[in-house]
Amino acid sequence: MSLVDWHVSIGFSPRQPVDANRERVEALLRGHHVGRAFIHHLGGLWYDPLWSNDQLLKTYDGDHGEGPIYTCVCTVNPLEGIERCREVLETAFKQGAGYWRLYPVEQGWDVVHPVALYLYEYLREHKCGLLLDSGTADVARVNDFTKDELPMVSSLHFYDYADWSIRFRDSKSLYPTTRLLHGPGSVEQAIQSFPDRLLFASNTPFGSIQSVLNLAPEHILEVDYLDLLAKNAIALMERVTHGG
Amino acid sequence: MVVDVHGHVGHWSFPTSDLGRDDLIAQMDRWGIDITVVSSSMAVRYDFIEGNRWLDNELSPTDRLLGYVTVNLHYPKESVGQIKYYGNKRTGDGRASFVGVKIHPMIQNKRFDSRAGLQIAEAALEYDLPILIHTYGSERETPKQVLPVLQEFPELKVILAHAGGFDWHLAMDIAGSGPNVYAEICSSCTSSDKLVQLIDAFGARRVLFGTDTTLFHPGYALGMVHDAKLDQKVLQLLMGRNAIELFDLDTHGK
């Protein structure tokens, strides 16, 4: 089974001199034989979600021939207010968007911002998937709010593993990724705790795909490891029915 | 003539009205502002090259708005290219539409007193474009970061946008560093004491009026000026004459 990468960005990087040009990123993915990439547009993080979602959905509308399948991850910013957020959601929904990434840390808002709560509920009701990176406690707050019913992909840090391995052990909707499990034995531990929910994410081009691939456990055959990650990805995708 | 030296056009991620060019000009009419020098919010917050290109289109139909070329300290080569391109650009009637350079060390997460900053400063000086640099109280935003650059390029004109914000003492500390450092007044701090002290430190000829429109309501900065109860001559310098001289607006760069 092929590799599914849950964190891929394209666009322009205003805060770090990283080339996130689409052609470059796609070449990186092809170079590592990524089979499916969950891709988002940096313009939504730093500038205008309505505009960037449209750009993204138009860019990846249809078959792109050889290379990964691209699944668009749209975004919305609670700081823009509820009316604007509603417009952003509904516009992207019409274009089939089912996956959404939110940026509380980068954009500077509390995960229980009232507009964010509205967004989580909206995504839960519409059977979407959420990608959200934040501290463990904040991710837990979101998961609690959504009653563990909104599939949520989150790159939790291995520093906090002692916390989140317990906190989310029995969760059915929190899907941790391998991206920040760069401590010795971290991925092995995560497989034990989350065998049916661990996912692969690289944060390309802000992170190296190979770096995360190199975290593969030594005691498992690589093919079995990739198989596990891919099966978990499929299981999550089957839960996200909005957008098809 | 009233000149607002610190404006923007484009989208903001707040539940505020997004004012387009024509809305901004209508607002200027309501508040008695003749000219606003603007950067593109897309250029400042995201893609500076695309943002500058977009702004160039927005500026062309009007002489009420002039532009800042926004640069990005992480991309010095491209930034210098942008300065050269827009520094040479003239409208059909021969005037310069881009009259300055905008830098935002906080949003870009990089300070001006860096190798990239020196490269950008050199290019701005070559085209005689004043630099409007965001300044506030944190280390990344401190006005003091302009000092090493001015040491290298003492002829460079630098405008301390927000004059350090709530920490205007940081701007005042460097007021004496040379005749080409200016303070611009807009920020969330509207204390008239700040304005009076800046004028005292920089002199009446080196303080500039700005509003931070379209992010801020222009009435906010105008209220600060109103409450400072300045002498008429000082007021005229602040509200327009200093900017006209600094940006060479009498000749519009012809």
Side-chain angles (χ1 to χ4, degrees):
Chain A
M1 283 203 193
S2 54
L3 190 60
V4 177
D5 191 339
W6 284 84
H7 279 172
V8 179
S9 311
I10 58 166
F12 184 80
S13 169
R15 298 196 185 191
Q16 294 172 298
V18 170
D19 180 0
N21 176 278
R22 179 190 153 201
E23 284 73 27
R24 187 232 176 175
V25 170
E26 290 180 5
L28 287 172
L29 296 168
R30 282 195 302 272
H32 284 282
H33 308 291
V34 171
R36 182 184 286 265
F38 283 79
I39 194 156
H40 74 103
H41 195 296
L42 293 165
L45 160 57
W46 300 121
Y47 180 59
D48 183 348
L50 186 71
W51 165 78
S52 77
N53 290 343
D54 186 59
Q55 295 286 301
L56 184 70
L57 289 161
K58 281 181 178 148
T59 296
Y60 291 104
D61 179 25
D63 182 11
H64 285 261
E66 214 180 290
I69 298 168
Y70 294 99
T71 301
C72 293
V73 181
C74 291
T75 191
V76 58
N77 184 344
L79 299 179
E80 296 196 331
I82 213 162
E83 290 306 319
R84 176 72 166 188
C85 285
R86 207 174 270 142
E87 183 188 358
V88 169
L89 286 164
E90 287 169 9
T91 305
F93 274 5
K94 283 188 195 133
Q95 294 171 270
Y99 294 88
W100 293 80
R101 187 164 176 180
L102 300 184
Y103 302 93
V105 174
E106 294 85 348
Q107 291 168 347
W109 46 269
D110 190 329
V111 293
V112 294
H113 188 292
V115 178
L117 295 181
Y118 166 84
L119 294 172
Y120 305 141
E121 187 55 25
Y122 197 101
L123 296 178
R124 187 188 69 82
E125 281 175 0
H126 287 80
K127 306 251 183 292
C128 293
L130 171 65
L131 283 69
L132 186 145
D133 287 349
S134 190
T136 303
D138 278 346
V139 171
R141 286 156 91 194
V142 177
N143 201 43
D144 287 345
F145 178 80
T146 57
K147 306 182 190 62
D148 199 27
E149 290 174 3
L150 173 62
M152 180 161 54
V153 179
S154 198
S155 289
L156 298 163
H157 204 290
F158 79 88
Y159 289 166
D160 291 335
Y161 183 77
D163 175 342
W164 55 267
S165 61
I166 297 171
R167 209 191 274 261
F168 299 124
R169 182 178 48 209
D170 298 324
S171 162
K172 58 183 194 304
S173 294
L174 194 286
Y175 292 76
T177 81
T178 53
R179 182 163 80 80
L180 298 174
L181 300 183
H182 48 284
S186 296
V187 169
E188 285 89 338
Q189 288 181 303
I191 287 174
Q192 283 197 310
S193 299
F194 305 94
D196 56 351
R197 281 182 280 128
L198 189 64
L199 302 170
F200 179 89
S202 70
N203 204 24
T204 296
F206 297 95
S208 146
I209 297 175
Q210 192 60 49
S211 292
V212 187
L213 284 171
N214 287 349
L215 301 175
E218 290 174 14
H219 70 278
I220 301 176
L221 287 174
E222 190 188 10
V223 62
D224 291 339
Y225 172 60
L226 294 178
D227 202 42
L228 177 147
L229 296 171
K231 277 186 179 151
N232 290 346
I234 291 168
L236 194 171
M237 287 190 276
E238 285 172 352
R239 291 181 64 181
V240 176
T241 54
H242 190 92
Chain B
M1 182 186 282
V2 175
V3 180
D4 176 354
V5 306
H6 190 162
H8 320 80
V9 267
H11 177 72
W12 297 105
S13 285
F14 301 110
T16 53
S17 306
D18 268 350
L19 299 183
R21 178 196 58 228
D22 296 338
D23 299 320
L24 173 55
I25 293 171
Q27 177 185 265
M28 287 160 64
D29 287 340
R30 286 197 298 279
W31 290 90
I33 296 169
D34 297 287
I35 291 177
T36 301
V37 192
V38 294
S39 59
S40 148
S41 64
M42 178 198 270
V44 172
R45 296 173 60 204
Y46 178 56
D47 184 335
F48 67 109
I49 295 174
E50 265 316 297
N52 288 337
R53 189 191 343 260
W54 175 85
L55 183 64
D56 190 27
N57 279 335
E58 288 298 288
L59 295 178
S60 57
T62 177
D63 58 2
R64 300 284 302 279
L65 301 179
L66 297 169
Y68 286 108
V69 184
T70 299
V71 295
N72 188 307
L73 291 155
H74 294 293
Y75 300 91
K77 186 171 150 213
E78 293 81 356
S79 293
V80 166
Q82 290 286 286
I83 290 172
K84 288 181 174 171
Y85 178 75
Y86 290 105
N88 277 321
K89 235 180 176 242
R90 293 292 179 270
T91 60
D93 58 355
R95 60 182 171 82
S97 51
F98 284 83
V99 298
V101 173
K102 174 73 185 266
I103 296 181
H104 204 304
M106 184 62 186
I107 287 181
Q108 291 166 12
N109 193 29
K110 186 165 177 174
R111 282 171 52 132
F112 188 35
D113 52 351
S114 54
R115 196 153 75 103
L118 290 173
Q119 291 173 278
I120 286 166
E122 187 176 24
L125 185 57
E126 186 188 335
Y127 286 84
D128 197 25
L129 295 172
I131 292 183
L132 178 75
I133 175 170
H134 166 92
T135 67
Y136 241 70
S138 77
E139 274 306 299
R140 192 166 304 140
E141 306 164 281
T142 177
K144 295 187 176 184
Q145 65 187 281
V146 310
L147 292 177
V149 182
L150 284 171
Q151 206 160 14
E152 190 68 30
F153 302 108
E155 305 293 319
L156 179 70
K157 294 162 194 161
V158 173
I159 306 165
L160 307 175
H162 314 300
F166 288 92
D167 296 300
W168 69 91
H169 63 93
L170 295 172
M172 285 166 55
D173 279 351
I174 67 167
S177 60
N180 296 316
V181 184
Y182 296 73
E184 182 270 314
I185 69 167
C186 74
S187 82
S188 298
C189 174
T190 54
S191 162
S192 51
D193 288 354
K194 172 180 173 179
L195 176 52
V196 168
Q197 288 169 26
L198 286 173
I199 291 171
D200 191 54
F202 282 82
R205 293 190 181 274
R206 287 195 288 130
V207 183
L208 302 164
F209 173 70
T211 63
D212 222 4
T213 194
T214 54
L215 181 59
F216 278 14
H217 192 293
Y220 210 68
L222 286 165
M224 180 191 194
V225 176
H226 175 273
D227 285 353
K229 299 198 185 327
L230 300 172
D231 167 84
Q232 194 60 24
K233 189 174 166 197
V234 171
L235 189 64
Q236 282 178 348
L237 288 168
L238 170 73
M239 297 304 287
R241 285 260 29 114
N242 290 342
I244 290 169
E245 187 176 324
L246 176 62
F247 290 107
D248 199 18
L249 297 183
D250 279 338
T251 61
H252 270 264
K254 286 184 185 172

